[in-house]
């Protein structure tokens, strides 16, 4: 729960809401110029997933736990931001930008296709307190 509490702030949620609804063709300079109010939320979202990716890689947080709390949000955000991030890396010759964000999203996708647990509403439908 600490992972979710640390990261699911109003600013993070606002950034996520913008990311999933933003134009697909958006690049970083256009984001800064045309969406100055939303840019900090997008940066917060990216840095959050970068941090979580590092934490998973180091073994500080379990991938299954991240999947439970942030899996869909991570994958959807990366899929939406991937073109912007790849373009930014190329234009700025900065191949490590969002490297752990990408790594995390790819690991989560592999985890899910490799037999991740059923959704809670199916897996635990007979649960009693």
């Amino acid at each position: 729960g600490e992972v979710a509490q640390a990261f699911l702030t109003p600013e993070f949620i606002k950034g996520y809401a913008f990311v999933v609804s933003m134009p697909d063709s958006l690049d970083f300079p256009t984001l800064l110029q045309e969406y100055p109010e939303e840019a900090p939320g997008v940066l917060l979202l990216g840095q959050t997933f970068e941090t979580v990716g590092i934490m998973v890689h180091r073994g500080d947080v379990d991938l299954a736990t991240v999947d439970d709390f942030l899996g869909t949000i991570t994958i959807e955000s990366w899929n939406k931001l991937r073109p912007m991030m790849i373009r930014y890396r190329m234009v700025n010759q900065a191949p490590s930008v969002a490297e752990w964000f990408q790594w995390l999203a790819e690991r989560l996708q592999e985890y899910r296709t490799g037999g991740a647990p059923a959704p809670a509403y199916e897996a635990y439908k007979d649960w009693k307190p």
Side-chain angles (χ1 to χ4, degrees), residues 8 12 68:
L8 295 180
F12 178 91
D68 285 343

Side-chain angles (χ1 to χ4, degrees), residues 5-78:
Q5 288 177 349
F7 297 122
L8 295 180
T9 63
E11 295 81 11
F12 178 91
I13 298 300
K14 184 179 175 188
Y16 174 66
F18 176 75
V19 164
V20 296
S21 65
M22 71 182 207
D24 288 337
S25 60
L26 197 60
D27 62 11
F28 194 70
T30 306
L31 169 70
L32 295 175
Q33 186 175 15
E34 295 184 16
Y35 302 95
E37 293 285 317
E38 286 83 3
V42 175
L43 295 173
L44 173 66
L45 191 81
Q47 193 56 48
T48 298
F49 292 130
E50 192 79 353
T51 301
V52 173
I54 292 167
M55 292 170 64
V56 169
H57 183 259
R58 290 185 178 171
D60 297 333
V61 180
D62 181 67
L63 185 67
T65 301
V66 173
D67 187 50
D68 285 343
F69 286 109
L70 299 168
T72 299
I73 293 173
T74 305
I75 293 168
E76 286 181 350
S77 297
W78 176 251

